[in-house]
Amino acid sequence: MACPETASVLSLEFQPCIHLKDGKKFITSVKDSTTFTHLFESYHDCQNNSKEAEFTVSAQNQTRIHGSLSVGEVVRNFSLRSFLFICKTTDDPELNKLQQHAANATKKAVNAFELLMAGGRSIPDKKRSSSGVKGGLSRKDELYNNLIETFFKQHKLDLSKPVLQTEGSYIVQI
């Protein structure tokens, strides 16, 4: 026979925030295995938000409680039954703008490894003049420049600098 799961009767208060305009205050029965994070997510209406709301939970005596603790642990060990939840998400437009800019900057940040490797790779230089031709390029050098444009620039191919210096023009000609 399985043991029935125990529950505790708690007084919960959710302060007003951008998700809960009026806040909530009620007494309810909660399973002792429920974490405070799960409790917050169950009663706090922030599902439309793409970002999870951050919160603090404290007992009426201002003791802060970590969200991963279960209700049963706190009730049994500290005899606390009244909890205040405060959503940290703000409606401050300046802070929201700052968070948005920070997110954009993170997306555009250059990977450090790619930055270090960028100096080690390059594409062959195009020919600017041909020997034996007074003005312009020979047909062979025009084809060489077209190959560089097509295969290296359009397809974003590159060679390591040591290979480029020793065998770069030979690779293009083949």
Side-chain angles (χ1 to χ4, degrees):
M1 181 170 164
C3 294
E5 191 164 352
T6 59
S8 300
V9 176
L10 305 177
S11 170
L12 303 177
E13 181 179 352
F14 291 85
Q15 284 195 340
C17 65
I18 61 173
H19 310 109
L20 289 170
K21 299 296 182 196
D22 298 327
K24 289 182 182 178
K25 189 171 187 176
F26 54 92
I27 296 174
T28 187
S29 176
V30 179
K31 291 181 181 178
D32 284 347
S33 61
T34 305
T35 64
F36 283 94
T37 302
H38 181 71
L39 195 60
F40 176 78
E41 291 169 350
S42 298
Y43 293 105
H44 190 262
D45 190 27
C46 61
Q47 284 82 19
N48 336 6
N49 240 1
S50 59
K51 182 185 173 197
E52 288 184 20
E54 295 180 18
F55 71 98
T56 59
V57 60
S58 59
Q60 294 298 9
N61 62 0
Q62 302 301 317
T63 303
R64 296 221 177 212
I65 300 169
H66 195 273
S68 65
L69 288 174
S70 71
V71 170
E73 292 171 327
V74 175
V75 170
R76 271 193 316 273
N77 296 325
F78 301 102
S79 299
L80 300 172
R81 294 190 180 274
S82 182
F83 302 101
L84 172 67
F85 290 85
I86 302 169
C87 179
K88 288 184 179 179
T89 307
T90 180
D91 199 16
D92 182 13
E94 291 295 321
L95 185 58
N96 286 341
K97 187 182 285 188
L98 182 64
Q99 289 172 339
Q100 187 178 27
H101 287 302
N104 288 341
T106 302
K107 288 178 186 173
K108 292 180 182 177
V110 177
N111 182 345
F113 180 73
E114 289 178 7
L115 184 63
L116 289 172
M117 293 306 295
R121 303 192 68 79
S122 186
I123 62 172
D125 292 328
K126 288 184 173 183
K127 300 216 176 185
R128 293 184 179 89
S129 62
S130 298
S131 59
V133 177
K134 288 189 178 182
L137 297 171
S138 66
R139 182 67 184 136
K140 176 185 168 190
D141 291 337
E142 287 177 11
L143 288 171
Y144 177 90
N145 287 347
N146 288 341
L147 285 173
I148 290 175
E149 184 69 35
T150 302
F151 291 108
F152 288 95
K153 289 186 178 179
Q154 288 178 359
H155 296 293
K156 297 180 182 176
L157 301 175
D158 54 16
L159 300 171
S160 65
K161 283 193 176 180
V163 171
L164 183 66
Q165 290 171 351
T166 57
E167 300 165 3
S169 63
Y170 179 73
I171 291 171
V172 173
Q173 290 177 21
I174 292 180

